């Protein structure tokens, strides 16, 4: 017997290879703004950007700061750390336009995403997306990666004015999907704000721990204590759901 009636997906680094897109965009930042940084250190840019040690994106998801404000702060922190010039508002506007062009130009779906979604739909499950980015941007991302016709964008950061891990966003996504929380799985690439937060909201929390560097280091004890389902690829999801 299948375990759920619906599946909600995170988008970035779950359905879409956002890590690869960030790598491409930050390589452009390095070329234009950090010409003294050797190419072998470009991976450090990516690690710092993903880690967001100052918690600026998390503050954005809590509704405490705007998107542009948090990203300008992060861009200036990146420049300060790697030897770039400070960005005032005009300079940041150019930086952001260039970054967004490179970033969106590199969007691609993970190879296992499309076939997995097709299998879920064929099994009669409802499917949708819940993300901590704004609805318009994520709708565009799903459309450009050929997923939007099968994975509707249901809830973003601007839907309620805050995002994960607040349980209310998971419950709103379930309401829009038309499934009960206890009969809904949430699949995401972050252990805390995705899988654990979904479990606390009453959903089946599933963490996609793809091989490679994690956003933040985690111990085996931390993973065990999370009490969520762990998979390494979306291809393992049908077995988890009993399809």
């Amino acid at each position: 017997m299948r375990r759920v009636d619906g599946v909600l997906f995170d988008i970035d680094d779950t359905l879409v290879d956002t890590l690869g897109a960030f790598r491409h965009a930050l390589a452009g930042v390095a070329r234009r703004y950090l010409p003294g940084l050797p190419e072998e250190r470009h991976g450090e840019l990516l690690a710092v950007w993903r880690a967001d040690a100052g918690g600026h994106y998390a503050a954005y998801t809590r509704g405490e700061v705007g998107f542009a404000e948090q990203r300008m702060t992060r861009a200036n922190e990146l420049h300060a750390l790697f030897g770039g010039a400070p960005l005032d508002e005009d300079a940041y506007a150019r930086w952001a336009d260039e970054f967004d062009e490179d970033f969106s130009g590199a969007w691609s779906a993970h190879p296992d995403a499309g076939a997995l979604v097709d299998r879920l739909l064929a099994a009669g499950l409802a499917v949708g997306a819940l993300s901590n980015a704004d609805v318009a941007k994520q709708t565009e991302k799903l459309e450009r990666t050929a997923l939007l016709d099968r994975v509707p964008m249901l809830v973003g950061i601007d839907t309620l004015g805050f995002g994960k891990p607040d349980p209310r966003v998971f419950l709103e996504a379930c309401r829009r999907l038309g499934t009960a929380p206890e009969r809904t799985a949430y699949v995401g690439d972050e252990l805390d704000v995705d899988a654990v937060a979904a479990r606390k909201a009453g959903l089946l929390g599933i963490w996609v721990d793809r091989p490679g560097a994690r956003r933040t280091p985690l111990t085996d004890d931390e993973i065990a204590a999370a009490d969520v389902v762990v998979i390494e690829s979306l291809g393992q999801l049908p077995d988890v759901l009993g399809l």
Side-chain angles (χ1 to χ4, degrees):
M1 181 177 179
R2 73 187 190 192
R3 300 177 63 178
V4 300
D5 299 317
V7 180
L8 290 165
F9 287 98
D10 173 52
I11 296 174
D12 293 306
D13 290 320
T14 300
L15 294 175
V16 175
D17 181 15
T18 309
L19 173 62
F22 275 135
R23 181 181 292 111
H24 179 71
L26 289 166
V29 169
R31 289 193 305 271
R32 289 186 290 265
Y33 296 95
L34 309 169
L37 188 72
E39 187 172 348
E40 57 266 24
R41 295 192 62 197
H42 287 186
E44 296 176 40
L45 287 176
L46 180 63
V48 169
W49 189 259
R50 292 184 76 212
D52 185 23
H56 304 297
Y57 196 86
Y60 165 62
T61 66
R62 295 191 297 268
E64 297 170 3
V65 298
F67 178 79
E69 179 184 350
Q70 64 84 26
R71 194 168 65 166
M72 181 175 174
T73 300
R74 294 173 66 194
N76 270 312
E77 288 183 350
L78 197 74
H79 279 219
L81 188 59
F82 291 96
L87 300 168
D88 60 17
E89 289 190 4
D90 289 341
Y92 169 71
R94 291 191 297 272
W95 188 100
D97 286 344
E98 294 160 350
F99 183 94
D100 287 340
E101 182 176 357
D102 287 343
F103 181 54
S104 62
W107 289 338
S108 64
H110 275 292
D112 53 5
L116 179 275
V117 170
D118 287 342
R119 184 167 179 186
L120 297 181
L121 293 172
L125 273 67
V127 174
L130 159 60
S131 170
N132 265 5
D134 70 81
V135 169
K137 177 63 71 176
Q138 297 301 71
T139 299
E140 180 188 4
K141 192 175 293 177
L142 288 170
E143 182 175 28
R144 290 179 60 172
T145 55
L147 291 169
L148 184 61
D149 61 332
R150 292 166 289 168
V151 187
M153 180 62 198
L154 299 180
V155 174
I157 186 70
D158 49 340
T159 302
L160 299 178
F162 49 83
K164 304 173 291 185
D166 193 299
R168 290 172 290 179
V169 299
F170 293 97
L171 300 182
E172 176 62 15
C174 290
R175 186 188 71 79
R176 295 183 180 213
L177 189 65
T179 56
E182 65 273 15
R183 294 286 298 172
T184 307
Y186 186 74
V187 185
D189 69 298
E190 296 193 55
L191 181 60
D192 51 358
V193 301
D194 286 332
V196 172
R199 175 179 60 76
K200 290 181 177 179
L203 290 74
L204 173 63
I206 301 177
W207 179 39
V208 185
D209 182 25
R210 294 185 185 277
R214 293 169 177 160
R215 188 185 305 272
T216 56
L218 292 165
T219 67
D220 290 342
D221 288 343
E222 288 172 325
I223 296 171
D227 189 27
V228 299
V229 176
V230 183
I231 58 178
E232 292 188 347
S233 74
L234 295 179
Q236 296 172 354
L237 187 60
D239 287 343
V240 168
L241 300 181
L243 301 184

